[in-house]
Amino acid sequence: MRTFLIPKEERASVPDGRVTTFGLNEEENKLVEKSLPTKGYELFDTDAPTDLVAISAAALIINAAIMDADSRDMIFDFYTEVSGCTDETIFWIGYPKPPNHLRVKFKCYENFGEFAVKLKYHLLTAHSKSKKAKDFSRKLADCLMVLSLIRSHPGIRTQELVDKLELSTRTIQRYISTLQVAGEWIAYDNTKKGWYLQDGVSIFFDDY
């Protein structure tokens, strides 16, 4: 679990990750819970199909036989529309099977017993995939924050970026180099000992 400071000096905890199940019985859910990838993970057992697409999870385990036709169509339509642009792993158990074009995204099993043979491995793999995607998103967001701060505070020093973003000096320097390679005209002011955008122009922010 990760703990964050929220208003009024209170703290809130959020799970490191989540595995969502639909249509599993109590015994099956207990087995999934015992196989969660890390202690910081939580099991979310839902009976609302909309939760499967609305709530973020590293893995979805769906008993197809329990789901009504309209809900199955909703799931299929959603993943057809996003066309693979999601990082969760979907384990589809039983019948009916998903349409052929979704079987690359959905990992299909005849029954829970077949799926459970390598349950721990399946969930660890899903966790690894989700973690890589989140790490990439976080790094991209941090990189864009560096650009935004340089754009809005010309002459900002490396240490100021370190303090504001809580990143290492080496990481800040790497992100600046990445932005320069991407075409951002970031330069160093030897007088102010800080970073600025030449002519105050950013390609990403379309300042032209």
Side-chain angles (χ1 to χ4, degrees):
M1 291 284 183
R2 291 165 292 168
T3 302
F4 295 89
L5 187 64
I6 59 176
K8 299 182 180 180
E9 300 299 319
E10 297 178 358
R11 291 185 175 272
S13 295
V14 298
D16 296 329
R18 179 183 295 112
V19 173
T20 301
T21 65
F22 177 89
L24 302 191
N25 61 38
E26 184 178 354
E27 183 178 346
E28 291 167 343
N29 274 316
K30 285 183 179 179
L31 188 57
V32 172
E33 191 166 25
K34 289 180 181 178
S35 302
L36 293 176
T38 70
K39 291 182 179 179
Y41 259 63
E42 72 171 10
L43 171 67
F44 181 61
D45 174 24
T46 182
D47 58 2
T50 50
D51 287 345
L52 297 170
V53 297
I55 299 176
S56 175
L60 307 177
I61 305 172
I62 302 170
N63 181 353
I66 302 298
M67 188 175 288
D68 62 69
D70 288 343
S71 297
R72 286 195 298 269
D73 288 343
M74 179 269 294
I75 297 291
F76 297 156
D77 288 345
F78 173 79
Y79 283 103
T80 298
E81 183 176 343
V82 298
S83 188
C85 297
T86 56
D87 56 31
E88 68 270 23
T89 303
I90 305 164
F91 300 103
W92 190 264
I93 299 170
Y95 294 89
K97 297 292 186 186
N100 288 334
H101 70 277
L102 288 176
R103 294 189 189 182
V104 173
K105 176 69 178 176
F106 289 48
K107 299 185 181 301
C108 301
Y109 295 88
E110 297 292 317
N111 52 64
F112 184 83
E114 180 188 4
F115 166 67
V117 171
K118 294 185 177 180
L119 180 53
K120 187 72 174 179
Y121 169 79
H122 293 321
L123 297 185
L124 281 172
T125 301
H127 164 68
S128 178
K129 176 184 174 184
S130 177
K131 185 176 184 299
K132 286 179 181 178
K134 288 178 180 177
D135 286 346
F136 174 80
S137 297
R138 178 181 53 78
K139 289 176 182 177
L140 179 59
D142 287 342
C143 195
L144 293 177
M145 278 300 300
V146 168
L147 174 61
S148 178
L149 287 169
I150 292 173
R151 178 174 178 263
S152 59
H153 299 84
I156 190 169
R157 299 190 175 197
T158 301
Q159 189 57 49
E160 292 179 277
L161 292 169
V162 167
D163 294 340
K164 286 178 179 294
L165 299 177
E166 299 183 348
L167 299 170
S168 69
T169 300
R170 179 175 293 183
T171 298
I172 293 294
Q173 295 283 8
R174 186 171 67 248
Y175 287 164
I176 290 173
S177 295
T178 299
L179 289 164
Q180 289 170 330
V181 170
E184 292 291 347
W185 295 352
I186 298 174
Y188 187 76
D189 187 325
N190 284 311
T191 302
K192 293 183 177 180
K193 305 299 182 185
W195 301 96
Y196 69 99
L197 284 167
Q198 292 185 22
D199 300 322
V201 171
S202 166
I203 294 173
F204 178 81
F205 286 99
D206 197 22
D207 290 326
Y208 294 96

